[in-house]
Amino acid sequence: MRLHRPMVIIAIYMAASAVLCALGVKLFVVCVAAAAASLVFIPGFLFPPYGSRRRDMAAEAAVIIAAVILAIVVAVSFGAMEKRGESLAEEYDGTETMIEGEVYGSPEIRENREVSVIKTDLGLIELTRYGNRAEHPEIGDTVRLKVKLSAPAAAKNDHGFNEKTYLYSRRIYLTATDSGAMEIIKTGKISPRVIAGKIQSAALGRGELYLRGDALGLFGAVVFGDRRHIDYELRQKLSDAGLSHVAAVSGMHLSIIAMILMFLLSRLVGKGRLGYSAAIAGVVAFALLTGGSASVTRACIMSVIYLSSKLVYREADGLSSLSAAAILMLLFNPMIILAPAFQLSVMATLGILLFMPHWQKKLTALPRPARAAAGIILVSLAAQLGAMPFIIYQFNAFPTYFLLSNLLVVPLLGIIMAIGLLLPLIGGLPVIGLFWSRLCSWSFGYIAFVAGKISGLPGAVIPVRRPGAAVIIAYAFAVATLYVLFMKRKKPAVLLAAVTLAFACLGGVHIYKDNRRASLSFLNVGRGDCAVFCLPGGHTVMVDGGSSSYTVEDFLLGEGRSKIDAAIITSDKREHISGIAQLAAKGAIMRIYIPAVLSGSDAIKVLLTETDAKIEFYGEKTRFSIYGLRFREWAYNEGAALLAEYGEERIFFCSDGHTDWPGCTIVKTPNHGSGKYNYATEINRTLPAHAVISGPASAANKCSYLEPLTKAAADVHITGAEGTVTFELTENQ
């Protein structure tokens, strides 16, 4: 028995351990599973192949033992970090206190808020300050201020950005908002991280002098990993065009920097040890300069391993280098397995390492320009093959034209990055500085232009529902089959294809059943209302839309949907109507139902002028049906109170004003948890089985009708605390 690439074996054990912990498997079970997995190798040790040496067998046994031990270390560390987060949440959630600590990373300034990470006695805390500030702390400064601490919510919504796992992957367990003036103490502390942060801030400040709009946003994102100036619309275009990886410093950017450094240094000092040592220093410096995200850290470790191997005249193995990077990162922070950047970076790199060596052999006969173009396309394809399930899982969409967009942008990315890196240095020079700033603006504008054009093509994005376990496993076996076929091993490929077919059938059955289900989801839109009915046949009905369309769009993508068949408005207040207005302006809503009493409202008049959706008005006597979902207006008092019926389920959407409640199984309570009435009479009479408070937890926990609902044994949900609240609906047979 021979264990090739022992680092790969160890990395697989550690990653599997972290994944099981992330899925909620108990620590004892993970440790037992790690030990049990080693039994697979026992037959090889008991009955070694003829000619095996004891020394080889001992080395292989040591690898397995090390893999099991490190897997257990990862599991124990993950559990300890999780317990730390839970204890901090229990002790400090909702409390006000004074904190003092060092600014750990360069603050991000986004519209009317500033986000910093502060290193305190409680660990790292993400601090958000709202409003315009005269002073901004810099990395390395010590700050002192009064804050309100809170534990991060589980999710913005079930299908969007998961704040809790994102922060945990960065070892941050508490968030804070300021409730007083900040005292900033300039300590003059010097460290590589502080120096890199100050250089980055100075470079971005110089860029703000010469660039505007999309060019400025892409300059900060592509060159320095700072996305503060990229607006939502540009981010969406980049995502739809399959170019999100370009606007976030990743392994590709670090590889480009390494190649630029190697090219320059080979001309200056040759390709000897001095050149490789200088390249290592340059790669590490660039990783620090860009903030050291998970993908950059992975690429930095692999680059250092590759360049170090050149110092000792060896060739680094790509899979072993990737495994070494994963091992080091998981040992430092097991929860990094939760970070989308880590997942996507590792799997995309794995796809490239597995498939590109075989594909490159087929390109040797092509002319050089065609070989270069084909190489870019195949690298993009290999990366997509490796990362596809994770892309769909994180973004719930597949960019159709990603090969075209990458072919248009990636070949020029090295030149564009070089132009951007030089802008802070020569942008202020006479004549050449003006020319260079224009060149930089055109270069980054080109990326925005390509993203805009490709994202606007028909069918640029295919919404895909988040895949289940069976589908992901089937995909993994399918990729393995493809790889084995490239290795020209047909018998293992037949076995893998059979397993793929079995899991694909399981996934198909699940998808078929899922398409026939009906559900009602109350989205977490802050202080506002938004409920979405997902009905059989892919039909979607929405009641109110919150104050922004972003959360709704995230949710719809997660459900594999892009259109809303009907939207029902209950109030013309911003927290009810703004999201619908934004979606309607984009043509995402087919039909809109509006209370007749609001026909003269200014907000409704603006809505009518900005959409081509079919408009219908409803009143107290109006009853309307949408794909088996029946509605009627129960009353109007500061908003339309709606009663919805689907099969045996009765759902009551309360208005913002006081009204009687009909008998119902689910009630969406009024006023986002801040109502002045306790509704005790209505609650005791109707006895709803479930109640949803659509608002922040701070208001809901103090609302007047929470106690009557609890006494009536209602199952109470608060969107501000739980994220999206979803109910399965049962239709009459």
Side-chain angles (χ1 to χ4, degrees), residues 592-600 604 608 615-619 622 624:
I592 301 176
Y593 292 85
I594 303 171
V597 70
L598 296 178
S599 58
I604 296 299
L608 297 180
I615 305 297
E616 293 191 22
F617 291 96
Y618 66 89
T622 306
F624 51 99

Side-chain angles (χ1 to χ4, degrees), residues 638-672:
E638 299 182 42
L642 286 176
L643 177 63
E645 296 175 286
Y646 187 83
E648 299 178 355
E649 305 289 350
R650 288 165 61 89
I651 307 102
F652 185 54
F653 299 87
C654 285
S655 65
D656 282 345
H658 189 276
T659 184
D660 292 332
W661 292 11
C664 56
T665 51
I666 302 171
V667 60
K668 196 288 298 175
T669 60
N671 285 319
H672 323 297

Side-chain angles (χ1 to χ4, degrees), residues 5 26 33 39 116 127 137 144 216 333 375 403 452 571 618 642 662:
R5 297 189 174 102
K26 292 183 178 180
L39 300 179
S116 309
L127 170 66
R144 185 184 297 118
L216 174 60
N333 177 14
L403 291 176
S571 171
Y618 66 89
L642 286 176

Side-chain angles (χ1 to χ4, degrees), residues 393-447:
Y393 192 84
Q394 295 295 341
F395 304 108
N396 307 114
F398 177 70
T400 311
Y401 306 112
F402 72 92
L403 291 176
L404 175 60
S405 59
N406 279 268
L407 181 61
L408 293 173
V409 171
V410 171
L412 301 174
L413 190 59
I415 298 172
I416 293 172
M417 287 185 67
I419 293 171
L421 283 168
L422 291 173
L423 177 67
L425 299 175
I426 64 178
L429 298 177
V431 184
I432 190 174
L434 178 61
F435 166 76
W436 203 264
S437 61
R438 291 284 178 86
L439 180 62
C440 192
S441 180
W442 294 334
S443 300
F444 290 108
Y446 170 74
I447 298 176

Side-chain angles (χ1 to χ4, degrees), residues 51 116 134 159 276 330 336 493 524 535 602 608 630 649 709 727:
S116 309
H159 304 284
Y276 289 123
L330 286 169
I336 203 168
N524 178 25
L535 304 176
D602 291 339
L608 297 180
R630 301 173 298 281
E649 305 289 350
L709 283 170
F727 299 94

Side-chain angles (χ1 to χ4, degrees), residues 96-109:
E96 288 194 3
T97 185
M98 290 290 297
I99 64 167
E100 180 176 340
E102 177 192 344
V103 179
Y104 194 72
S106 300
E108 298 181 28
I109 303 168

